[in-house]
Amino acid sequence: MIIVNAVVLLINLSYVEGGGVVFLFVFLVASLLLLLRFNVYESVMRWQRQGLRYVSDVGWDIMQVGVWISIGILIFSWVMPAGYMDPTAAQIWTLNVSPWAQLQNTWDRVIAIPGRNNPSNHGNFRDTLVLGGDPNLNSEIVFTVQSADGSQYLASLSYDRYTAEHGWSVGSLDALPINASQEYSSGAMLTHTVQQKIAVVNPPGEQYPYLFGAPQISSVSVPAHILISQTTGEFVALLGRKGSLTAHTTYTVVSHVSSADKQTLHSVPMPVDAPKALPVNPDLPISPNYYHSAVVSTYTQLPKNLDPAIAALAKKITATVPSMYDKVVALEDYLRTNYTYSLNVQRSFDQEGVSWFLFHSGNKGFCNYFASAMTVMARSLGIPARVVVGYSNGEEDAAHNQRVIRGTNAHAWTQIYFAGYGWINFEPSATFATFARPLPNQYGSASATQDTTISAKNALTPAIRKKPFHPEASDLANGGAGNNGSNAWSLSQQISVGLATLVLLLLGSGIVFGIWWSRLFRRYDLATQVYGRLCLLAGWAGIGKRPSQTPYEHIQEIAVARPKEASILERLGDIYVRDRWADPESIEHPRRNGELKELPSLWSHLRSGLLLYMVRHPYFLRWLLLRMLGLLSSIWRKRPVKRASDGYALEQCNE
C-alpha cells in the first residue's frame, strides 16, 4: 500500500515546482509511523496469544519514540550532501532505453493527452520531449534580457533521437568544464558575436541546471559545463556549476550567431552530394561542404516503424526545388501555411505524434508538433536536423531597454545542419515570425576570412571535440584559478554540513535524553521517582551516595553544596523516608496526610538549581568516559555488556 502510493506521489511531485517536497516529507513520516504501528499491533497480538504480560500503554510509548526517530532520520537525510551520482549506477536511470525512462516516458504520454490537465507552469525543460497535450503555460515573467540584438531566441538544449513511442530524447553526452568567460568555439564559418545579459525573475522548471542563451553560446560569465554529444561532438546544452537557476540570478552569455546569408546557404549541397572523405594529407584544406558521417547518421535517424506517408509528403513538398536550403524553406513554408497553431490537442496516446499531426489532427497543433514535423520530414530527405527548446524573444520593454520573456514564450523550433556553417534556425510554427537571414557581408567578412580554411586535423570529429576549448595563457599562469571558487565552495559546504550534523547530533541526543529521563523510574511510586532523580543528578555532579549513608545523611551532604535549597531538600528527604518506612496506617505516612502532593512542587524548585550545579561541576563527563572505556573493553574482550535500567540507576543511589 505504501509503495503504490509513494510511486503515485513521486510521479505527481515530479511535475510540481518548489515547495511540493513538503508533501513528500509528510508522506515519509506518516509511512514510517504506519509501519511502526502495524509492527506494534502485530507484536501485541502475538503477546496475547502467548499469554505474555505487557504494559498497557506500550503502544503509545513506542509511537512517541517512533515520531522522534522518524523526524530525526528525515532531518539527517536532509542535511546530508546532495548531488553525488555514480556514473555506472546512473545509467539505470538516465539511459533512454532503461525501464525507468520507458515508464517515465509512457506516463508523460498518458498524462499529456486531452482530458488530463498539466499543471500551470512557465517552462519545464528535461532531456526528453513528449508530444502530448496542452503544456498549460502561464504568463509569469521568466527572464529579462538586455542585448543589442533583440531578435535572438534563448536556447536551452537540443534533441537528437526520435522514437515513435517516447518522442525526443538526448543521447550520451560528455561534460566539459569551462571557467567564467572562457571561450568555446564551434568551428562554424561566418558567425558574429551577440551578447546577452540575462536576469532570472521566475526560474523555469529544469531537470538539470541549464543555462539559456542565443544559439550557439561561446562563453558565459559563470563557471559551467558544456554538454556535447559523445557521437558527434556537437554542442547540446550548457550547465551551470552552481545548481539550477534561482530568482535574481544574473549572468551574461556571448554567442556566435550565424551570419550566413541566403545565397551562402543556397551553395551548401545535400549530404548525399557532398564530399565523402577527408584529404589524405591532414595539412591540406578540406572542402567547407564536408559533412562528418557521425553528424549525418545521428541527425537523420528515424524510427523503423515510422509512417512512410511522412517521407512521401516531404518528397512531394520539395520535389520542384533544387538546393538543400530551398527544400528546408519549402518544408517550413508548408507547415506555416497549411497548419494552425492551437493548444487544443486531441491526440490519442497510441498514435505516433508526427504522423498524427500531419494527417489526423485537423491540421492544428502547437510548437512541439510543428518543430517535430519539420525535423522528421527533413531527416526523411537525408537532411541533418534537430529540435531545440527554450524561449522565443518575448516582448520589448522600451522603458527599461530590455526584452521580457514570459512563460508563454516557452518554445520549440528546428535547426538544420549546413556543412561548414553549423546549425541554422528555422521557425515552422504558424503565428511566430520566421528567422531573418543576414544580408551578404552585413557583419563584415573578418570571420569568414578567418574560418574558411579548415584543415583536416581541426575537423569536427568526436575524438578531437573531446577538448573543444583552449585555456588562455593567463589561466594556466594562475594555476587554474578558475577552479578555486569551486573548491572554496566545496569547503564551505563541507563546513556547513559538518556544523549541521553536529547540531543534529546534539538535538538528537537531547531528544533521546528527554525520552529516557521522562521514562526513568516510572515503575516506582512518586516519592521514589523524585528521590531517585535527585540522587542521579547529585551523583553526576560528584555528590555520590556512599553505601554507609542513610537518606537523611545523603540529603544533608547535598544541602551543603546547595545551601539555598537546604530546607526544600530536608523536606523532600523527610517525605521520602516516611513514605518508605512509616506505618502505612499511621497518620504520619505521607499518603494518609496528603504530603505526597508537595513533591512535584518541591522537585520543580530543586531541578533547575541541581542542573545548573551539575553543569558547573561536570563530574558526569568523567563517568561517561569511564563507561565508554568499559564498553569498549567489554566489546574488545567479547564479554556481554550489562544493560542500564531503572534498577541500575537506583543502584547508584544505593537504594
Side-chain angles (χ1 to χ4, degrees):
M1 180 178 62
I2 291 175
I3 291 175
V4 171
N5 282 275
V7 170
V8 174
L9 178 64
L10 289 174
I11 291 175
N12 281 277
L13 288 181
S14 68
Y15 294 92
V16 178
E17 299 179 13
V21 71
V22 68
F23 296 107
L24 178 61
F25 179 87
V26 173
F27 178 82
L28 290 176
V29 172
S31 299
L32 290 172
L33 294 181
L34 182 61
L35 290 173
L36 179 61
R37 185 69 187 92
F38 271 114
N39 186 269
V40 172
Y41 176 79
E42 292 177 349
S43 299
V44 169
M45 294 297 99
R46 186 174 66 254
W47 297 338
Q48 290 179 351
R49 290 194 302 269
Q50 296 174 350
L52 301 176
R53 298 178 60 188
Y54 59 90
V55 181
S56 59
D57 61 346
V58 64
W60 175 246
D61 293 336
I62 292 177
M63 293 305 293
Q64 289 185 75
V65 177
V67 169
W68 292 112
I69 292 177
S70 300
I71 295 176
I73 290 173
L74 293 178
I75 293 176
F76 182 74
S77 303
W78 187 279
V79 301
M80 288 292 289
Y84 170 77
M85 180 181 289
D86 180 79
T88 303
Q91 294 181 6
I92 300 175
W93 309 99
T94 57
L95 286 178
N96 296 317
V97 296
S98 70
W100 173 254
Q102 294 180 13
L103 175 63
Q104 186 181 45
N105 290 331
T106 301
W107 177 260
D108 288 341
R109 290 171 62 94
V110 171
I111 70 165
I113 64 177
R116 304 175 189 267
N117 293 325
N118 292 325
S120 176
N121 67 94
H122 44 268
N124 197 353
F125 300 92
R126 307 178 63 85
D127 58 6
T128 56
L129 181 66
V130 177
L131 298 181
D134 183 356
N136 198 14
L137 298 172
N138 57 44
S139 58
E140 292 182 357
I141 298 177
V142 182
F143 302 115
T144 60
V145 181
Q146 293 180 336
S147 175
D149 186 352
S151 66
Q152 297 299 322
Y153 283 11
L154 299 182
S156 173
L157 73 157
S158 62
Y159 304 99
D160 55 14
R161 180 174 177 79
Y162 182 72
T163 60
E165 297 82 8
H166 307 141
W168 293 99
S169 60
V170 177
S172 300
L173 303 172
D174 282 326
L176 303 178
I178 60 171
N179 299 323
S181 302
Q182 185 172 359
E183 286 287 333
Y184 167 82
S185 176
S186 66
M189 299 185 296
L190 290 178
T191 62
H192 63 278
T193 299
V194 172
Q195 180 171 302
Q196 297 169 307
K197 183 178 181 181
I198 300 174
V200 182
V201 180
N202 291 298
E206 295 185 296
Q207 181 181 12
Y208 302 110
Y210 298 117
L211 296 177
F212 293 75
Q216 173 174 333
I217 299 174
S218 63
S219 68
V220 62
S221 61
V222 295
H225 282 93
I226 294 175
L227 298 187
I228 63 172
S229 168
Q230 289 184 354
T231 305
T232 65
E234 290 300 317
F235 181 99
V236 173
L238 191 69
L239 295 185
R241 293 192 199 175
K242 296 184 178 180
S244 297
L245 296 174
T246 57
H248 309 298
T249 300
T250 302
Y251 63 95
T252 301
V253 293
V254 176
S255 302
H256 288 169
V257 177
S258 177
S259 306
D261 56 87
K262 293 181 180 180
Q263 182 178 353
T264 300
L265 296 177
H266 271 294
S267 66
V268 179
M270 293 279 290
V272 68
D273 301 322
K276 299 298 187 294
L278 294 171
V280 177
N281 187 347
D283 293 324
L284 294 176
I286 66 172
S287 170
N289 295 330
Y290 171 77
Y291 288 89
H292 193 279
S293 58
V295 172
V296 175
S297 62
T298 299
Y299 294 104
T300 57
Q301 170 272 331
L302 289 173
K304 294 181 180 179
N305 57 345
L306 189 66
D307 186 354
I310 298 175
L313 176 62
K315 291 179 181 178
K316 179 180 178 181
I317 296 170
T318 61
T320 60
V321 292
S323 71
M324 186 173 85
Y325 178 78
D326 289 330
K327 293 179 184 295
V328 173
V329 171
L331 295 175
E332 181 185 48
D333 290 342
Y334 177 82
L335 292 171
R336 294 177 61 85
T337 303
N338 295 280
Y339 291 80
T340 304
Y341 192 93
S342 173
L343 297 174
N344 185 20
V345 173
Q346 304 292 332
R347 181 177 73 88
S348 174
F349 69 90
D350 59 348
Q351 294 179 286
E352 187 272 317
V354 172
S355 177
W356 173 85
F357 171 67
L358 290 175
F359 308 115
H360 308 290
S361 67
N363 289 22
K364 61 182 181 179
F366 55 92
C367 59
N368 291 359
Y369 288 93
F370 279 92
S372 298
M374 179 173 177
T375 303
V376 169
M377 284 196 293
R379 289 187 174 195
S380 71
L381 298 174
I383 299 173
R386 67 184 184 183
V387 171
V388 184
V389 292
Y391 291 90
S392 62
N393 58 336
E395 59 189 26
E396 185 179 5
D397 179 7
H400 298 90
N401 191 29
Q402 62 186 13
R403 300 203 59 96
V404 177
I405 312 298
R406 299 182 181 274
T408 50
N409 297 126
H411 193 44
W413 64 97
T414 300
Q415 286 186 338
I416 304 296
Y417 187 84
F418 287 82
Y421 304 98
W423 293 101
I424 306 298
N425 293 323
F426 288 85
E427 181 54 271
S429 297
T431 74
F432 285 80
T434 57
F435 290 96
R437 302 296 168 209
L439 298 175
N441 297 323
Q442 178 178 347
Y443 297 96
S445 59
S447 59
T449 303
Q450 179 180 355
D451 295 333
T452 47
T453 305
I454 303 178
S455 66
K457 60 184 179 182
N458 289 327
L460 301 180
T461 63
I464 295 177
R465 289 294 299 274
K466 288 289 184 179
K467 294 183 179 180
F469 63 94
H470 304 281
E472 298 295 334
S474 58
D475 294 334
L476 298 175
N478 292 331
N483 293 327
N484 292 342
S486 176
N487 294 335
W489 177 84
S490 178
L491 178 61
S492 64
Q493 183 189 40
Q494 293 176 8
I495 294 174
S496 299
V497 170
L499 292 176
T501 304
L502 179 60
V503 171
L504 181 63
L505 289 175
L506 293 176
L507 179 62
S509 300
I511 292 173
V512 172
F513 176 80
I515 295 173
W516 174 78
W517 184 260
S518 66
R519 296 166 59 89
L520 188 64
F521 306 131
R522 64 175 182 163
R523 301 176 184 175
Y524 298 89
D525 56 69
L526 180 60
T528 304
Q529 290 182 30
V530 174
Y531 181 72
R533 286 184 169 85
L534 173 65
C535 292
L536 204 56
L537 288 179
W540 288 348
I543 311 175
K545 185 176 181 296
R546 296 186 296 276
S548 60
Q549 284 183 320
T550 65
Y552 284 126
E553 292 172 337
H554 187 47
I555 288 290
Q556 185 61 37
E557 186 176 5
I558 298 174
V560 172
R562 301 294 302 169
K564 292 183 179 181
E565 290 95 4
S567 59
I568 300 176
L569 287 166
E570 291 173 1
R571 178 62 176 164
L572 187 151
D574 181 58
I575 294 175
Y576 167 71
V577 170
R578 285 187 287 112
D579 180 70
R580 292 299 304 273
W581 289 288
D583 183 1
E585 303 299 327
S586 170
I587 192 63
E588 294 183 357
H589 197 283
R591 297 182 186 178
R592 296 292 300 275
N593 57 26
E595 290 178 325
L596 283 179
K597 297 179 181 179
E598 299 180 29
L599 289 177
S601 177
L602 294 174
W603 175 242
S604 65
H605 284 86
L606 287 173
R607 181 174 51 200
S608 58
L610 286 173
L611 287 172
L612 182 61
Y613 184 82
M614 182 189 68
V615 172
R616 293 177 177 175
H617 304 80
Y619 182 82
F620 68 94
L621 294 178
R622 176 175 175 270
W623 178 83
L624 284 175
L625 179 61
L626 293 176
R627 292 287 299 169
M628 291 177 63
L629 291 176
L631 179 65
L632 293 175
S633 177
S634 299
I635 294 175
W636 179 262
R637 298 174 183 176
K638 297 184 179 180
R639 295 179 180 178
V641 181
K642 184 178 180 181
R643 290 185 60 187
S645 64
D646 291 353
Y648 177 73
L650 279 180
E651 185 181 313
Q652 303 305 303
C653 303
N654 293 305
E655 186 55 43

